[in-house]
Structures are given as C-alpha cells and as structure tokens.
Amino acid sequence: MADVPLLRCFVDGQWLETPQRFSNINPVNGQLISQVCEADAATVERAVQAANRASQETWKTLTAQERAALLHRIADGIEQRFDDFVLAEVMDTGRPVHQARSLDVARGIANFRTFADLVKTGASDMYEGSAPDGAKVINYVTRKPLGTVGIISPWNLPLLLLTWKVAPALAMGNCVVVKPSEETPSSATLLAEVIQAVGLPHGVFNLVHGFGPDSAGEYLSTHPGIAAITFTGESRTGTTIMKAAAEGVKEVSFELGGKNAAVVFADADFEAAAAGVMRSSFTNSGQVCLCSERVYVERPIFERFVAELKQRCEKLVLDYPDAPDVDMGPLVSLQHRDKVLSYYQLAREEGATIVAGGSVPVFGDERDQGAYVQPTILTGLPDTARCMREEIFGPVCHVSPFDTEDEVIHRVNDSAYGLAACVWTTHLSRAHRVASQFETGIVWVNTWFTRDLRTPFGGTKLSGLGREGGRYSLDFYSEISTICIKL
C-alpha cells in the first residue's frame, strides 16, 4: 500500500506517525482512500501538554485583533485550497460535489471569518451602582480563555462542524486538541496543513486521529489537562463523555441526536412545503442532525401531500458525487447502512406502509460495493413505534395526519429529543403561537437549515446541553469573571 496516502497526527507543530493504523474507506465504492495513524495515549498526552504550554506562553498573550487576523488567514488558506477541501469531503462522505462546494467548505470559511469578526467587536457588561455607604460601585465582566479545549467532531458534516468549534475556541484565546471522526479524517488533516502554513504558534492547534473507547476519544475526554470538552454526535456517546468530564468538573457543550419533526398546516404554500420537507428529510442522505424524520400533515391535505412526496422521492437521483444531476450520495459507511436498513426492516415489522424506497438501489457497477440506500417514505405507524421514537439518521421520514394545533404540539414534544422543528404555514399568528410551544433548540418557519451564525444553537433533553453560536460560543469558550470596584 505504498501508493496509498498516510494521514498523520499533528502535534506541537509537527507531523507524527504512529505504529497503529486504520483504513479510510470511500463509501461510494468501498475502495481504500488512505491509511490513518491512530493516536495512542502517549500521543494524546503530548498534544495536551503542547496545548497547555502554548496557552500559557504564546496564544493567550495575543490581542483579540491579532488572533482575529490569524483566523482570517486560516479562512483565506481554506479558500486558496478550496478544491482540495471539496475533494476531501467528497471522498470521505460520498456527498454530492455541489453540496460540498456550496455548504460544507463555504461554511468552514465563514465560521473562521464570523468568529474572527465577533471577537474583535465583542462587548462586555458593565453596571453602575452604589454601596450601602453611598459610594459609587462599578461592576464589569471579563472573559478569559479556559486553556485547552478538547474538540470531538462528527462524520456527517466534517469540516463544517469541526470549524464551528475550532474557530470560536481559538478566537477566545484557547488552544485545542481535535479528534475528528475516524470515518472522515481527511478535511481535518487538510485544516492542520493550512494552520501550519499560516504559522500559528506550535501547540495552539493539535490533531489526533482515532476512535472513541480505548482510543484517542477516551484519552482526550478523560485527560485532566483538558479544561473543556465540546462534542457533536450520538447521545449515548455524549453520556459517556459527560461522565468522564464530571471527574474533573470540566465545562461541556454537547450537540447530540435528534428525532426532529416537520409540521405542515393545510394553509401552507403546498409546493414550498413539499419541497421543504423533501430537503429537510433527504439532504446529505438524511445524515444531518437537523433532518426531519417525523412529518405531521394536517388531515385535509394529508393524502395529497403524501402522494406529492412519493412522486418527488422517486425522482431523486442517486449517483456518483460528481454526476451533474445527482441528488443523493451514499451513507457514510457500510456499517451505518446496515443500521439504517435494520430500521427499514423494523418499520415493516411494526406495520408501516412503505410509500417509497425501503431497500438498496442496484447500479450494476462499483457503486454496488458502496453504502447506498433508497430514500424512504413511511406511513401508518403510531407515535409509540420504535421507528417513531429512535433516531435513524438516514434518508427516511414517516408522515402522519393530525387534526388540531394542540394535538400536533403534544405529538411533536412527545419525544426524548429536542433539537429542531419546522412549521409550514401562511398564518403568521399560528406560526408564532405553535413555534413558541415546541420543546426544541431551534424552530424554522417556512424554511429549513437557514440560520445566522450569530444566533444560539443547541438542543434540549437528549439532544444536547449548552448553546454555541455568536456570543454564546464566546461565552462557552471563556472563563467569565466579574470585577467590582468601589470608587
């Protein structure tokens, strides 16, 4: 395998090879993309020590303006290697090239620029008051870096979600040790190359590849030298990390799973709602934590809406990522495909009607060795069914009728998760009324996946803990203190 690229760890400004390797597989055709160096405990230890040293000696001593300038240079570096990042994202995930170009890499650039600008213009709270003796008192808030932040990022939107965490952490003066998903190591490695070229001080950004238990993820989340951990991924993994973080009373921010709902009222713009539900259910083959797996449609338009979704679903094109008309690529891995297919089978056993899809496409070429599944629409399940309660994380939605506002609000909230919801209606008062009663971190009205990066983001219940985005990220990645002065 001499001609197969080797992805190394990046620690203290140096590229490190480790003896243990794992394979990075292309989900389009099952072929080997690269070999990846798995970080052992000693490598993670070295990374944390380097980050802590850089935190004390160099990085936090820079002004906010100096750090912001370097973050802008990182954004410029990604932009200069735009096509390389697109290729890395497409090879690791199989997603359509047009999505990687318009969403993933573009958003990675925007993350660095947004948080660079925010930290330059960030304001602080100040209050004037008086002491019991009548003397004037001023209280003001300061924000200092936490130190070293452990960042564990997922495979579904690798560069987007990694930079969403790295950018504000660095902007606030923290150093980071990053562990990307073992499924998608390529764009994180490219980011390390860009950061090295930009010339950040050694130890500010460290990259360790590996898995979770008994690997880099566990070594990082349990390390006493880590001040905070931010994680995006499965709720069960978040629970494990939280238990580890409790030992050292570490700051944590979790964006976890979701069983998100879309609600379509009879007065909605029918075409816009149908297109919106298709997008929110099948974008990135359903592998977005914000995708709609539960769709509730007001009864007068239910049959028509299901028929429209079926027609649109059966027209979706599954193809190579660079095909000009491709709508969907494969799932991230054969293992994940098996999980999604097991839910398709479970849906049948629970009595669902398969309106569209429900199986594996047959291409007659190398794609049959990949991780493709058909986009699938279900109906007929009660809200108590496992397929209605558990996150599937694939290209699937279940469509149910409803009759009243109160009913659908209760059904949307009757979930262990609370990440996102969508409402489709032309009734302004209803939009405000219904959206405000959903127990979710974000509600979209007549749109999906549209959000200003300055607003807070996160989930409730099993969908997460804490908020990031805008000044909320700057707060999480800071130690906030109050200074009180009696004049």
Side-chain angles (χ1 to χ4, degrees), residues 265-287:
F265 286 95
D267 63 29
D269 180 321
F270 188 88
E271 291 297 317
V277 169
M278 286 294 295
R279 182 168 175 255
S280 70
S281 295
F282 301 121
T283 292
N284 198 34
S285 301
Q287 299 170 122

Side-chain angles (χ1 to χ4, degrees), residues 44 152 179 211-223 244:
V44 174
I152 303 176
K179 193 207 85 67
F211 301 86
D214 300 316
S215 188
E218 180 177 335
Y219 305 147
L220 182 59
S221 60
T222 59
H223 197 289

Side-chain angles (χ1 to χ4, degrees), residues 118-138:
L118 278 173
V119 78
K120 286 192 299 183
T121 59
S124 185
D125 298 326
M126 191 277 284
Y127 302 94
E128 295 184 23
S130 59
D133 62 3
K136 185 176 182 180
V137 176
I138 295 176

Side-chain angles (χ1 to χ4, degrees), residues 68-223:
L70 286 167
L71 262 61
H72 272 291
R73 288 177 59 188
I74 294 171
D76 293 343
I78 297 172
E79 197 164 50
Q80 290 163 8
R81 299 189 63 182
F82 195 95
D83 289 341
D84 293 339
F85 277 93
V86 168
L87 179 61
E89 292 286 275
V90 169
M91 291 288 284
D92 279 2
T93 66
R95 63 172 33 88
V97 169
H98 63 76
Q99 179 189 314
R101 296 188 67 86
S102 63
L103 175 62
D104 299 85
V105 181
R107 173 67 180 275
I109 294 168
N111 284 337
F112 277 105
R113 289 178 175 160
T114 296
F115 287 107
D117 292 341
L118 278 173
V119 78
K120 286 192 299 183
T121 59
S124 185
D125 298 326
M126 191 277 284
Y127 302 94
E128 295 184 23
S130 59
D133 62 3
K136 185 176 182 180
V137 176
I138 295 176
N139 290 263
Y140 65 93
V141 175
T142 64
R143 290 173 173 81
K144 296 173 285 188
L146 296 169
T148 297
V149 177
I151 296 176
I152 303 176
S153 60
W155 48 257
N156 59 321
L157 299 169
L159 183 67
L160 188 160
L161 292 175
L162 176 61
T163 55
W164 171 246
K165 298 174 182 296
V166 169
L170 295 183
M172 283 306 303
N174 299 284
C175 296
V176 299
V177 180
V178 169
K179 193 207 85 67
S181 169
E182 63 275 12
E183 302 283 4
T184 52
S186 300
S187 58
T189 304
L190 280 180
L191 179 60
E193 292 179 6
V194 167
I195 285 174
Q196 184 182 39
V198 164
L200 262 64
H202 290 182
V204 171
F205 177 93
N206 303 273
L207 171 68
V208 292
H209 294 294
F211 301 86
D214 300 316
S215 188
E218 180 177 335
Y219 305 147
L220 182 59
S221 60
T222 59
H223 197 289

Side-chain angles (χ1 to χ4, degrees), residues 6 17 22 27 54 68 159 163 195 228 236 258 273 287 337 394 422 457:
L6 178 65
E17 293 188 17
F22 61 93
L159 183 67
T163 55
I195 285 174
R236 287 176 297 178
Q287 299 170 122
R337 184 187 70 170
C422 296
F457 179 78

Side-chain angles (χ1 to χ4, degrees), residues 237-255:
T237 306
T239 299
T240 301
I241 294 174
M242 192 168 187
K243 290 177 180 177
E247 292 294 326
V249 197
K250 295 179 173 65
E251 295 278 355
V252 294
S253 177
F254 294 149
E255 194 271 283

Side-chain angles (χ1 to χ4, degrees), residues 27 43 104 128-129 174 223 228 259 282 326 357 364 368 389 397 458 474:
T43 303
D104 299 85
E128 295 184 23
N174 299 284
H223 197 289
K259 190 70 177 178
F282 301 121
V326 63
D368 291 335
R389 312 295 296 181
C397 66
L474 303 186

Side-chain angles (χ1 to χ4, degrees), residues 354-423:
I354 311 296
V355 175
S359 187
V360 176
V362 177
F363 298 100
D365 55 37
E366 64 175 1
R367 287 171 293 172
D368 291 335
Q369 306 305 312
Y372 289 87
V373 297
Q374 292 176 337
T376 297
I377 299 172
L378 310 171
T379 60
L381 291 177
D383 289 351
T384 54
R386 281 181 56 197
C387 286
M388 295 291 287
R389 312 295 296 181
E390 300 173 11
E391 183 182 36
I392 300 173
F393 214 63
V396 59
C397 66
H398 180 278
V399 192
S400 304
F402 74 91
D403 295 299
T404 68
E405 278 186 26
D406 288 343
E407 173 201 344
V408 78
I409 290 168
H410 171 76
R411 293 173 72 183
V412 169
N413 290 339
D414 183 22
S415 173
Y417 298 97
L419 187 56
C422 296
V423 178

